[in-house]
Amino acid sequence: MGRVSPLPPPGPLRTLAYATLVNTVGAGLWLAGGALYLTRDVGLSATSVGAGLTVAGLVGLSASVPLGALADRSDPRTLRAVLQVGQAVAALAYLLVGSFPAFLAVAVPEALLATGNLAVRAALVAAVGGPDGRVHAFATLRAVANLGITVGTALAGIALAVDTHRAYQVLVVGNAATYLLSAALLLRLPPQPATDGARRTPGAPRRGGRGGPLRDGRFLAVSGASAVLSTHVTVLVLVVPLWTVDRAGAPPPVVSAVLLANTILTVLLAVRLSRGAERAAPAARKLRRAGLVLAAATPLYAVTGVLPVLPAVVLLLVATAVWTVGDLWHGAAGAGLAYDLAPPGAIGAYQGADGLLAGLAQALGRGLLTLLVLGSGPVGWLVLGVVFAAAGLAAPALTRRAVAHRPAPRARPVGVPG
């Protein structure tokens, strides 16, 4: 492959990349067509679909830490494949939805499987990449995922253009099929046994603190700062499109151009901008940089609301390019911190806690950020920039506290092999 390809060289990471690519093609199909299937074909109201997805998303967050902890004690490869088979069943169950209660009965278990699977995926990425390569692997898979979602969204456009019952059914079945194919690809990876820290003999003390990640206050403080910055996802996919049309006065196709610019830059730069985030201290500095860069993009977005349309469109694209750099630095730094601050035998559980906080921040951010920016105009953008800068600037000090109180690794007895 050429250098611009997001696919890594042959090996376990490439197999994982293929599984991710297939899975995210399905995600793109459902992301673009799921809401229209539920409203136009099933007949649910847009309000009930939005409410149901919100409820399901919040309930689904409860699976993040338990399934992440399960990945620490078992083979994350096999566990993720099993979860994806479950997701395929849940995806097919949408064909049976005919009412709001039936929709909830499908959406809630699907959200539990999907959210828990993110923590399992993080544990699998750590196992495949190893301590020195897991952030690189995370960034590689993010680039691949963006490519897969783009392909899936384009394919969904065919079903949406046809706009028939059969076309929507094909979309649903196609999404389910990608889960099964991805699971089959995952099983081509070598088994990934539980780490030494997760395999405990009965009565042995638990490593990594009492009560797990949800009682590790110093880790949660670092993860909380990262979670605040993670709302950049909500800003880009919800606030920026609404601002582009309603405040900047740009035609709707500009929204697609803005999101496409983000996708292309992510595919090209995700791996390059992830370098140097494998350990906690440099990852914290990268998180600080991410907060400051995201903050620097907010006045650019704010100015587009008072410019003529053509310069506003140009500045929207420039602001999105700056935003994407901050986005990518945050993704790599957040992953590096969650990995390196976790005890060796609890990576999945700690990644689950990190995902839980990010999920809560994004769920709350949908309403709060829309109200802040669209309700307050340019001032709202500036307030958001201050919040992002503050979260980024706090990260190094919070990380130093977490590292200073991290238990020292146990010494291996003389003569015991590594």
Side-chain angles (χ1 to χ4, degrees), residues 69-407:
L70 182 59
D72 292 325
R73 300 192 300 269
S74 60
D75 177 3
R77 175 208 67 161
T78 304
L79 178 58
R80 187 164 192 222
V82 169
L83 289 174
Q84 291 196 168
V85 171
Q87 287 179 276
V89 174
L92 282 175
Y94 277 109
L95 294 174
L96 306 176
V97 170
S99 64
F100 182 69
F103 168 51
L104 274 183
V106 174
V108 169
E110 185 210 21
L112 288 166
L113 290 166
T115 306
N117 202 356
L118 291 177
V120 176
R121 182 193 68 173
L124 179 59
V125 170
V128 170
D132 295 324
R134 54 200 179 190
V135 174
H136 168 80
F138 173 87
T140 299
L141 297 179
R142 181 172 182 188
V144 170
N146 271 262
L147 183 61
I149 290 173
T150 301
V151 172
T153 301
L155 291 175
I158 300 173
L160 301 183
V162 175
D163 196 28
T164 64
H165 173 65
R166 182 60 57 85
Y168 284 115
Q169 284 188 316
V170 170
L171 184 148
V172 173
V173 172
N175 180 35
T178 63
Y179 284 118
L180 295 176
L181 181 54
S182 178
L185 288 168
L186 287 173
L187 293 177
R188 295 181 60 187
L189 289 168
Q192 306 292 333
T195 61
D196 290 340
R199 291 194 297 264
R200 297 188 301 132
T201 56
R206 181 183 296 276
R207 296 178 67 189
R210 295 168 294 179
L214 295 181
R215 296 187 64 181
D216 188 339
R218 294 179 180 87
F219 171 81
L220 293 177
V222 176
S223 186
S226 178
V228 170
L229 295 181
S230 77
T231 58
H232 64 70
V233 176
T234 300
V235 173
L236 187 65
V237 301
L238 177 62
V239 177
V240 169
L242 294 174
W243 176 271
T244 297
V245 176
D246 296 341
R247 290 301 190 98
V254 173
V255 173
S256 297
V258 167
L259 297 179
L260 182 61
N262 171 261
T263 298
I264 292 172
L265 289 172
T266 298
V267 172
L268 295 177
L269 300 177
V271 174
R272 182 176 303 175
L273 295 184
S274 71
R275 293 169 186 160
E278 289 78 14
R279 296 293 178 263
R285 292 192 292 271
K286 191 180 286 285
L287 196 69
R288 176 178 59 195
R289 200 181 312 153
L292 294 175
V293 170
L294 289 169
T298 56
L300 301 179
Y301 280 122
V303 171
T304 63
V306 297
L307 291 177
V309 172
L310 185 57
V313 170
V314 174
L315 192 55
L316 280 167
L317 294 173
V318 172
T320 300
V322 176
W323 191 267
T324 302
V325 172
D327 166 353
L328 295 175
W329 272 338
H330 167 259
L337 287 166
Y339 279 134
D340 199 43
L341 293 178
I347 286 175
Y350 271 67
Q351 286 283 341
D354 185 67
L356 172 63
L357 292 184
L360 287 173
Q362 291 173 32
L364 294 172
R366 291 186 187 102
L368 293 176
L369 293 174
T370 303
L371 181 64
L372 173 66
V373 175
L374 298 180
S376 304
V379 173
W381 278 114
L382 298 181
V383 171
L384 178 61
V386 171
V387 172
F388 280 159
L393 290 170
L398 294 173
T399 301
R400 284 193 294 272
R401 287 181 65 240
V403 171
H405 291 83
R406 184 166 51 184

